[in-house]
Amino acid sequence: MSTPRVRRLTLAGSVTGAVIVALDGTVLTVAQPPLQRDLHATFAQVQWTSTGYLIAVASLLVFAGRLGDRYGHRRVFAIGMLGFGAASAGIGLAGGIGWVIGLRVAQGVFGALLQPATLGMLRAAYPPDRLGGPLAVRTGAIGLAAAAGPLVGGALTTHLGWRAVFFLNVAPALAMGLTALAVRAPMAPRGTARPRLDLPGAALLAMALAGLVHTLVGVPGTGWTAATALGPTAAVAAGGVLLWHERRTEHPLVPPGLLRSATAGPALGVLVSASAALFGALFLGTYYLQDVLALDPLASGLRALPLAVMMVLGAPVAALLMRRQGPRRTTVAGMVLVAAGVLLMSRLGRDSGAEAIGGCFLVLGAGFATVMVTATTVVVRDASVDTAGVAGGLQQTAMNIGPALGVAAATTLMSVAGPGAATGRPPGDGPGWATDVFLSAMGPALTVLAAVAAAGALLATRLPGRAAARPPGGQPVGTSRMRRVSPSPRCTTTSPTRKPCSATPWRPRPTR
């Protein structure tokens, strides 16, 4: 296991990588309007600065995790950080929207490299029974970045221009990437077999996820059309071929043991349902604050600030609760809070005050922080060290698919709940929702999203309980551990004719 110094540097690198990615996504929304004016871009072109990035990230996360398992998470993390910083600098210097879109896609590729590695490095550096604390620190840092992003982005854009937003990540990305290259990680023993790369499987998975993400991102702007329906069709076709291929190949992209795990699948499902419910609610909540209550972006951000505050404060509490109560009870409680927060938001109206609105976001933040810490810990901890990258890639994929699914579901539900007045487009992008119709449709839409969170709570009951969460010796659930066979009463060290007790051999005993 790593030394304390290496663990501290690993945690610092993991947190920095997660913060840079989270900060980049939040500040971009503030920088897009001035970017569009400065580069004389169309609205569709500006949308592709986000869509291109999301497609590149989501389609490559699992394969990037496999690269980390084969070549080392620290090395892949360093390449991802250095590339992410270089792409950010290139965007800041770009002279046209085409360069911005292309570099955003490149930024997504490098972001896919570094994100699973942030979890794989933690799994390799910390014992399984001590992963909760580092993952809580990581989750709290992501919450802080989400809260600071709009404020930092607004200040930089106002005083220095939109290019400063992209230069913000360059220095920390380059510094942490070079540090990761300089730190010597423990070497694997000679003769250790490296996992082979399943390139056809990676291509098929990338095609399936790219089609799905492209559709989910496009639905809020265009609604469901014949063109958007092609994406899910291609995703299902590629997914079917992928399943056929993975069953027959000798070296599958995702190890079968990881897919058949009794805990990893439910934990990933919980992450998808929680992030879908949260981000779908945030999508509708943003338009409620700005269109119904007529608040400016800064005032809207302040109303939602309790969510980020609870992400920061709730993460360490969630890690403590998980150690005492186990992942199952802790995650169920977190999903119940997410469902309650979304359901409370569905009851907001024209006359709702700051206290009621802040209370909704407070409950949402407490629940989502709890789910993030516990479910992520289950996914990463129960994976072996040589499959930690794939596990991290699956976790990050769930956290990219869930929000896109939630926003697409919210838009579809609003269109269904408000027929004749909704076009499927969010307000501000063309004909939108009248205030009365928006309020009448928001309640049912959020109620459905709360039901999605409740389904996640049921799924969380399949996570390990307190006894299974803390196996002796810190070994992952499902692995074998060693024990010394107790000496028999006839064993003695004083009799010259009998075998000494110290010669009692070690024997394996499987975990039940």
Side-chain angles (χ1 to χ4, degrees), residues 9 30 42 60 63 95 123 126 155 182 213 263 292 301 368 386 403 446 459 462 467 479 491 504:
L9 288 175
V30 181
T42 64
L60 295 175
F63 181 63
R123 175 63 182 88
Y126 288 87
V213 171
T263 56
V292 176
F368 191 69
D386 58 347
L446 289 173
L459 196 58
R462 297 178 58 187
T479 61
C491 174
T504 304

Side-chain angles (χ1 to χ4, degrees), residues 129 132 316-331 374 381 464-470:
D129 57 345
V317 176
L320 180 62
L321 288 174
M322 183 176 62
R323 289 183 65 87
R324 293 184 176 180
Q325 301 297 326
R328 183 189 303 154
R329 292 181 179 178
T330 309
T331 309
T374 53
R381 181 196 61 196
R466 180 170 56 182
R470 300 173 65 181

Side-chain angles (χ1 to χ4, degrees), residues 226-240:
T228 55
L230 292 176
T233 303
V236 170

